[in-house]
Amino acid sequence: MKDVMMLLGFSMGLLTGALLHKYSQGTQELLAQGEKKVVKTAKQIEKKAEQGMDEIEKKVKDGVKAMENKINKTEKKEK
């Protein structure tokens, strides 16, 4: 019986939410604002990730150059 009541409560909540979304202008505006905020936050995260990747790429290139310089110096000493 408990399971039936939980299922009924969930169904009523789902139906109420769907009706609010379809017919309530305020709810639609609220959801649109929330969607815009999520997209804005995602773009900010993407921008930060790109900046982080650029920094990592620069550090890797600098590290590779340093290793190449060390290898070249070692080769010159051996000759």
Side-chain angles (χ1 to χ4, degrees):
M1 186 68 181
K2 182 179 176 183
D3 294 337
V4 173
M5 291 304 234
M6 286 175 49
L7 184 60
L8 182 61
F10 178 75
S11 300
M12 291 300 291
L14 186 62
L15 180 63
T16 303
L19 289 174
L20 271 174
H21 182 272
K22 185 173 183 177
Y23 295 111
S24 174
Q25 186 67 29
T27 304
Q28 290 175 356
E29 290 174 4
L30 183 66
L31 288 173
Q33 288 175 357
E35 209 172 87
K36 288 177 184 176
K37 286 182 182 181
V38 168
V39 169
K40 183 179 177 182
T41 304
K43 286 182 180 179
Q44 289 174 347
I45 291 171
E46 181 182 10
K47 186 177 179 181
K48 287 181 182 179
E50 287 176 358
Q51 289 174 347
M53 291 301 292
D54 291 342
E55 290 175 12
I56 290 171
E57 184 179 354
K58 183 181 176 188
K59 288 180 181 180
V60 168
K61 285 182 180 178
D62 291 343
V64 168
K65 285 180 183 178
M67 291 301 294
E68 287 175 348
N69 289 338
K70 286 182 182 180
I71 291 170
N72 289 338
K73 288 180 183 178
T74 308
E75 288 176 353
K76 288 180 182 178
K77 285 181 181 178
E78 290 177 358
K79 289 181 179 181

